[in-house]
Amino acid sequence: MRERAAVGEFDWTVRDYLSTRLTHQVIPMVLDDGLWHHPLFAEAFDDVLRIRLQEAARRAGEIVDELSRLPLGTGHCDASSNNLLVIDEDNGFILIDYGTWNEAPIGFDLGQLLVGDVQIGRRAASLLSETEEAILPAYVAGLGDEGYDLDAAVVRRAHALHLLLFTGLSTPPFDYLDAATSPALLHIAKERASIARFSLDLLDETAPV
């Protein structure tokens, strides 16, 4: 599919994400100690997790640099389950919505496949490890089917870098700062904290390649 990487005509790179949303919105909020006193944050994100996220936010530029040095592939860039229409067990599924189809770091779509359903409450964060253990080998096998043989360690590292940048750093419930704390919102915050912790742990478990 590499020869069709530009079919979506979506001119965008990881560095664009760093220079826009991360730099002007996400990172300033993560580094703002005052926001972490909000009840949702205090209940769901302990000090250790807060400090780890803040340290990662300060290293965002380095993380983007490393990700940009890894092999490029073709990404759907919105590979949520809603865009994977299952046909049946024999024929698999159909991929739809190519508006963001683009050249992207290898493993880019694994992040959305992993956390998309967790973010909307369709799956529990407790299933993140199980899901990752299923999708990563399948993705690497798919690369091989396309004639692109790449070490699984390289793919997992790229996946870890991407997951932290695009999901882990933005998991704190900044969008609920003005809302009254409730059991439902606290559950959302705790699920997001689990995603953030998983993202940080995955990066720590993988090594630069």
Side-chain angles (χ1 to χ4, degrees), residues 8-9 18-19 31 60 95-96 111 130 132 135 144 148 150 164 175 182 200 205:
E9 298 182 352
L18 172 65
S19 65
L31 297 180
L95 185 63
I96 64 169
E130 176 184 322
E132 200 232 355
I135 64 175
Y148 195 3
L150 199 61
L164 181 63
D175 45 333
S182 68
L200 291 161
E205 292 168 8

Side-chain angles (χ1 to χ4, degrees), residues 21 25-45 170-182 185-186 188-189 192:
R21 184 169 186 243
Q25 182 184 42
V26 175
I27 292 174
M29 289 192 294
V30 171
L31 297 180
D32 185 346
D33 287 331
L35 295 181
W36 293 89
H37 295 300
H38 189 285
L40 283 178
F41 288 63
E43 284 281 338
F45 291 75
S170 55
T171 51
F174 301 118
D175 45 333
Y176 292 111
L177 285 173
D178 296 328
T181 302
S182 68
L185 288 185
L186 182 57
I188 290 173
R192 292 188 182 186

Side-chain angles (χ1 to χ4, degrees), residues 106-124:
I106 207 72
F108 190 97
D109 286 324
L110 289 169
Q112 186 66 18
L113 284 172
L114 177 65
V115 303
D117 280 352
V118 178
Q119 290 173 317
I120 63 175
R122 185 178 291 169
R123 289 172 64 85

Side-chain angles (χ1 to χ4, degrees), residues 32-84:
D32 185 346
D33 287 331
L35 295 181
W36 293 89
H37 295 300
H38 189 285
L40 283 178
F41 288 63
E43 284 281 338
F45 291 75
D46 57 36
D47 286 341
V48 172
L49 183 54
R50 171 183 60 80
I51 291 170
R52 292 179 73 193
L53 281 171
Q54 290 180 327
E55 289 175 346
R58 294 186 182 98
R59 294 177 48 234
E62 299 173 26
I63 294 171
V64 168
D65 286 343
E66 182 184 347
L67 184 57
S68 298
R69 291 193 295 269
L70 294 180
L72 289 172
T74 303
H76 180 279
C77 300
D78 188 18
S80 67
S81 58
N82 289 335
N83 286 330
L84 301 173

Side-chain angles (χ1 to χ4, degrees), residues 130-145:
E130 176 184 322
T131 304
E132 200 232 355
E133 289 172 4
I135 64 175
L136 183 64
Y139 181 91
V140 174
L143 290 176
D145 291 342

Side-chain angles (χ1 to χ4, degrees), residues 1-17:
M1 300 294 283
R2 288 287 285 116
E3 68 276 9
R4 299 172 184 166
V7 71
E9 298 182 352
F10 187 65
D11 187 16
W12 179 89
T13 68
V14 173
R15 291 193 183 280
D16 292 327
Y17 184 66

